[in-house]
């Protein structure tokens, strides 16, 4: 690998054209997969998955993607590597990137993945940090595009915590050219520097209903992300009134989609009859993780 190795630590690592190309390619790969196409561009290639946090969708979609593409994935946690015994992240990156072709990492601090990437000879993908979840947004934009076409110009309402997934929706708004309204309780807003950088496409709105009014997508996420388990009680109180329920969906566009990256907590951030109702596209979002990440792997390993 050369100095030109491309990483995907945030959506901003790719250009708007590259991002659109990946989403369009994901739709093609999904259709090919459904037709039973045998397409194995990553034969003999290895993906290392380094996960410091739990995962269902991200892990399985990356492992299945490598199987479909004819390659292999190795799942690693701190407990079964020397990371857990104090080997520096930089040294781990130098060693692993001499053995594997690409790495996906899920960790707490965004600095950790930046340090890893700075010392890696091969592409590094952010599989979620406390700050961002860019892979999720590839699948979410794909889910919208499959149903309605280009997301540019659409209005999206984020209701809930100003967390890692919210931050990636903010980046997506400026890169894909849609408008994002963010409604969070006081003290749980998104990162201020990122908000300033995304100001042209992101507005903070004080009430969930005002944010949702006329929106094409209403999206939320858990009120207590991984690593915030100790704050659960105070968060449940602070987020009262932020549930996405039928009243919220009723003020959105008549054909609005409900999105959630999952895992979801029914009765907290979303009412059961919304997530399990007709406007919900959450299972497509989850499925599209597979296809969007296949397009991402193909892109990073061919540039
Ligand atoms: N949405 C998502 O990233 O799910 P997992 O935590 O199950 O990977
Ligand atoms: N915001 C959630 C997303 C899980 C996919 C978390 O970080 O736990």
């Amino acid at each position: 690998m050369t100095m030109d190795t491309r990483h995907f630590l945030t959506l901003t690592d790719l250009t708007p054209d590259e991002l659109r190309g990946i989403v369009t390619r994901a739709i093609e790969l999904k259709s090919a997969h459904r037709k039973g196409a045998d397409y194995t561009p990553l034969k003999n290639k290895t993906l290392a998955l380094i996960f410091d946090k739990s995962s269902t969708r991200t892990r399985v979609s990356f492992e299945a993607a490598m199987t479909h593409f004819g390659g292999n994935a190795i799942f690693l946690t701190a407990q079964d590597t020397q990371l857990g015994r104090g080997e520096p992240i930089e040294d781990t990156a130098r060693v692993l990137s001499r053995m594997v072709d690409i790495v996906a990492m899920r960790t707490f601090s965004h600095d950790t993945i930046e340090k890893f990437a700075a010392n890696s000879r091969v592409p590094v993908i952010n599989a979620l940090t406390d700050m961002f979840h860019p892979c999720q947004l590839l699948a979410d934009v794909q889910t919208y595009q499959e149903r309605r076409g280009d997301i540019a110009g659409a209005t999206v309402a984020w209701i809930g915590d100003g967390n890692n997934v919210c931050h990636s929706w903010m980046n997506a708004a400026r890169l894909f050219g849609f408008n994002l309204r963010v409604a969070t309780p006081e003290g749980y807003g998104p990162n201020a520097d990122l908000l300033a950088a995304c100001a042209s496409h992101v507005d903070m709105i004080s009430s969930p209903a005002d944010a949702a009014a006329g929106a094409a997508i209403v999206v939320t996420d858990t009120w207590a992300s991984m690593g915030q388990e100790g704050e659960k009680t105070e968060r449940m109180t602070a987020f009262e009134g932020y549930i996405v329920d039928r009243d919220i969906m009723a003020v959105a566009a008549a054909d609005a989609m409900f999105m959630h990256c999952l895992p979801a907590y029914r009765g907290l951030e979303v009412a059961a009859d919304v997530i399990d109702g007709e406007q919900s596209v959450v299972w497509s979002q989850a499925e599209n993780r597979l296809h969007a990440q296949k397009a991402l792997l193909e892109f990073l390993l061919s540039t």
Side-chain angles (χ1 to χ4, degrees), residues 128 133 163-165 221-222 225-226 261-262:
L128 182 148
H133 195 5
N163 65 12
N164 44 8
V165 179
D221 185 15
T222 181
S225 285
M226 290 181 277
C261 62
L262 306 176

Side-chain angles (χ1 to χ4, degrees), residues 54-59 106 133 136 226 261-263 289:
S54 304
S55 172
T56 299
R57 282 144 286 269
T58 309
R59 175 186 178 175
R106 170 169 285 200
H133 195 5
Q136 181 67 47
M226 290 181 277
C261 62
L262 306 176
R289 298 293 306 279

